[in-house]
């Protein structure tokens, strides 16, 4: 990973000696320069996804990313605009570049201690679900030895971006402006400023322009995936046999086999087995039911219908069936959001490897629920007694929660 804040040898030595201290809500000393607006172009940005994976350029359309202005090797005085102090003097881009501003913006610190922020989406707004300032411990950003901080912090300050999941390999350019507003007077004196001090005034603004790209990765269609993994599209081998599997920590959960046609269109292969806040959850609240949800319902470009196997979930540790396959019911979700019985489209099969599966032929992957008995009716689902989140104060109803349903992945 790139070294952060590789400004000069003198700065490195100063940081290693621990002499840099942040002054929060300090009285502005007499003779200090005071600025109220700083502009920065963050063309180089550090990105981390929710698992701490680092991205240098394009960011996949995973659920969340964490970004922070790159104030190091890809950043230079050219990315700053000169600022004007209250006394009318000019604070040069060089001085701002060598100032302590980067600390307050989240490097080795909690940015929320020093700033609030507002965001304006300039480009690619439809790809962004939400943005906010957070303090998080994200991957190597707090532990990598190449960072010039004595005892890396447990948490850094980031802008957390929740992206809208995309199902193609199209590239989307994201342009956004973050306006950081200082909660207090902040001492940002450059390391070799000389006499006096430089302050960002309370309620002063740091305006940062971010630009980056969002694009799913691409892989061949002979691939293995973990259930829940996204941010990837697959490209089948034209006129060739292709096989994709989806796995949990312990088992293969689903198998897809098909011969691609001349088109060999790419598709998004994410599958989840986690029950979230789907409207249809209550139909299965009184039993064990297992979800296989192929996000985006991708079309399979195949010469004939693809073969899809779903692991039969009602098997104990000894390999014995706990629900007779003749009694199991397979559902999909209709356009009205209600379960639709499609059991007749599946066959119960034991594979050559000894796995019990439910097999079907399809050209499009969908949402499948394997239940041990028929789902509740509309009236039963609507009137089912809700579980509670704990005891409520006297005279107040307990807060209902969604029914807990089993999942292959926790």
């Amino acid at each position: 990973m790139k070294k952060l804040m590789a400004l000069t040898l003198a700065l490195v030595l100063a940081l290693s000696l621990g002499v840099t201290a942040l002054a929060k809500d300090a009285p502005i000393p007499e003779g200090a320069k005071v600025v109220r607006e700083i502009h920065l172009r963050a063309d180089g940005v550090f990105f981390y996804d929710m698992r701490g994976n680092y991205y240098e350029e394009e960011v996949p359309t995973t659920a969340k990313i964490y970004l922070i202005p790159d104030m190091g090797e890809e950043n230079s005085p050219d990315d700053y605009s000169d600022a004007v102090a209250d006394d009318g003097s000019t604070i040069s881009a060089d001085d701002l570049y060598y100032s302590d501003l980067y600390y307050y913006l989240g490097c080795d610190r909690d940015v929320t201690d020093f700033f609030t922020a507002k965001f304006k989406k300039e480009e690619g707004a439809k790809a962004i679900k939400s943005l906010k300032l957070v303090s998080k411990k994200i991957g190597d950003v707090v532990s990598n030895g190449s960072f010039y901080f004595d005892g890396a912090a447990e948490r850094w300050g980031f802008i957390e971006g929740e992206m809208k999941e995309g199902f193609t390999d199209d590239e989307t350019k994201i342009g956004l402006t973050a306006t950081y507003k200082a909660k207090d007077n902040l001492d940002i004196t450059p390391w070799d400023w000389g006499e006096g001090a430089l302050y960002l005034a309370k309620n002063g603004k740091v305006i940062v322009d971010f630009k980056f790209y969002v694009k799913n990765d691409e892989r061949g269609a002979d691939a293995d995936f973990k259930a829940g993994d996204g941010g990837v599209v697959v490209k089948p081998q034209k006129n060739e046999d292709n096989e994709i599997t989806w796995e949990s920590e312990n088992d293969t959960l689903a198998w897809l086999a098909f011969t691609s046609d001349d088109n060999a269109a790419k598709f998004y292969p994410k599958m989840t087995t986690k029950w979230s806040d789907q409207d249809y959850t209550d139909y299965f609240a009184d039993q064990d039911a297992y979800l296989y949800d192929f996000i985006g319902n991708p079309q399979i470009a195949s010469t004939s219908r693809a073969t899809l196997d779903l692991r039969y979930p009602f098997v104990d540790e000894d390999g014995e069936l706990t629900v007779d396959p003749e009694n199991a019911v397979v559902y999909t979700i209709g356009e009205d959001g209600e379960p639709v019985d499609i059991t007749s489209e599946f066959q119960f099969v034991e594979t050559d490897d000894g796995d019990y599966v439910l097999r079907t032929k399809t050209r499009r992957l969908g949402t499948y629920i394997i239940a041990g008995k028929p789902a509740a009716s509309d009236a039963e689902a609507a009137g089912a007694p809700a579980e509670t989140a704990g005891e409520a104060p006297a005279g107040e109803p307990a807060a209902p929660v969604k029914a807990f349903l089993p999942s292959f992945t926790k």
Side-chain angles (χ1 to χ4, degrees), residues 66-77:
Y66 297 91
L67 59 94
I68 187 171
D70 178 357
M71 314 290 283
E73 291 178 353
E74 290 187 8
N75 183 251
S76 74

Side-chain angles (χ1 to χ4, degrees), residues 30-344:
E30 185 176 351
K33 300 285 186 180
V34 179
V35 295
R36 298 182 183 273
E37 191 164 295
I38 297 172
H39 290 257
L40 168 62
R41 212 170 41 248
D43 290 333
V45 182
F46 285 120
F47 293 98
Y48 299 85
D49 67 12
M50 59 198 304
R51 297 183 179 180
N53 297 316
Y54 170 66
Y55 299 98
E56 212 170 317
E57 296 178 356
E58 294 171 340
V59 181
T61 63
T62 44
K64 291 181 181 178
I65 60 169
Y66 297 91
L67 59 94
I68 187 171
D70 178 357
M71 314 290 283
E73 291 178 353
E74 290 187 8
N75 183 251
S76 74
D78 292 338
D79 293 320
Y80 291 79
S81 298
D82 292 345
V84 179
D86 283 355
D87 63 4
S89 62
T90 297
I91 308 301
S92 72
D94 278 334
D95 286 333
L96 295 173
Y97 174 67
Y98 288 110
S99 76
D100 281 348
L101 179 62
Y102 54 82
Y103 275 111
Y104 298 103
L105 289 177
C107 301
D108 199 34
R109 297 293 186 273
D110 179 357
V111 67
T112 63
D113 283 344
F114 307 107
F115 291 99
T116 59
K118 292 184 178 180
F119 307 98
K120 183 179 179 181
K121 303 170 187 176
E122 308 284 357
E123 295 182 81
K126 292 182 179 179
I128 304 174
K129 187 174 182 180
S130 64
L131 296 162
K132 64 181 178 181
L133 285 183
V134 298
S135 172
K136 292 263 186 173
K137 180 177 179 180
I138 303 294
D140 288 342
V141 74
V142 296
S143 60
N144 191 291
S146 65
F147 287 102
Y148 294 133
F149 296 107
D150 184 17
E154 286 298 310
R155 292 173 178 268
W156 280 39
F158 293 91
I159 297 173
E160 180 181 86
E162 186 168 358
M163 313 303 290
K164 293 178 183 177
E165 194 159 18
F167 305 134
T168 72
D169 65 338
D170 295 340
E171 182 180 75
T172 301
K173 183 179 180 180
I174 305 294
L176 64 93
T177 298
T179 300
Y180 297 83
K181 186 177 180 180
K183 293 181 178 181
D184 304 293
N185 298 320
L186 303 179
D187 183 355
I188 61 170
T189 307
W191 66 273
D192 68 344
W193 178 260
E195 296 183 3
L198 176 64
Y199 274 74
L200 176 66
K202 183 176 181 178
N203 296 322
K205 297 177 180 179
V206 181
I207 301 172
V208 184
D209 294 323
F210 292 93
K211 293 193 187 303
F212 59 97
Y213 294 86
V214 172
K215 186 178 186 297
N216 286 320
D217 292 336
E218 181 182 311
R219 291 174 59 183
D222 274 327
D224 300 324
F225 292 94
K226 292 290 186 183
D229 283 353
V232 176
V233 295
V234 295
K235 181 176 177 57
Q237 294 281 342
K238 185 183 298 186
N239 298 319
E240 295 287 341
D241 293 338
N242 297 266
E243 183 172 331
I244 301 175
T245 63
W246 291 265
E247 301 174 347
S248 67
E249 292 183 0
N250 302 314
D251 298 299
T252 301
L253 304 179
W255 299 255
L256 180 71
F258 63 98
T259 301
S260 179
D261 58 19
D262 289 337
N263 184 26
K266 302 171 186 176
F267 65 93
Y268 193 71
K270 179 178 177 180
M271 184 199 74
T272 181
T273 67
K274 290 185 177 181
W275 296 87
S276 306
D277 296 325
Q278 293 95 336
D279 294 336
Y280 49 81
T281 303
D282 288 340
Y283 288 94
F284 304 95
D286 65 341
Q287 63 163 308
D288 283 347
Y290 290 80
L291 175 70
Y292 300 79
D293 190 3
F294 293 89
I295 307 301
N297 299 143
Q299 179 85 20
I300 309 302
S302 56
T303 55
S304 59
R305 290 187 302 163
T307 299
L308 174 66
D309 288 349
L310 303 177
R311 175 173 290 278
Y312 188 71
F314 301 111
V315 181
D316 63 20
E317 294 180 355
D318 297 324
E320 300 295 328
L321 300 177
T322 59
V323 173
D324 189 329
E326 293 186 0
N327 296 328
V329 189
V330 184
Y331 291 93
T332 190
I333 303 302
E335 293 182 1
D336 58 1
E338 296 180 5
V340 177
D341 187 339
I342 56 170
T343 308
S344 62

Side-chain angles (χ1 to χ4, degrees), residues 370-400:
I370 301 177
K373 63 180 182 178
S377 65
D378 288 346
E380 290 170 332
E387 299 179 34
T388 62
E391 294 186 7
E396 296 183 15

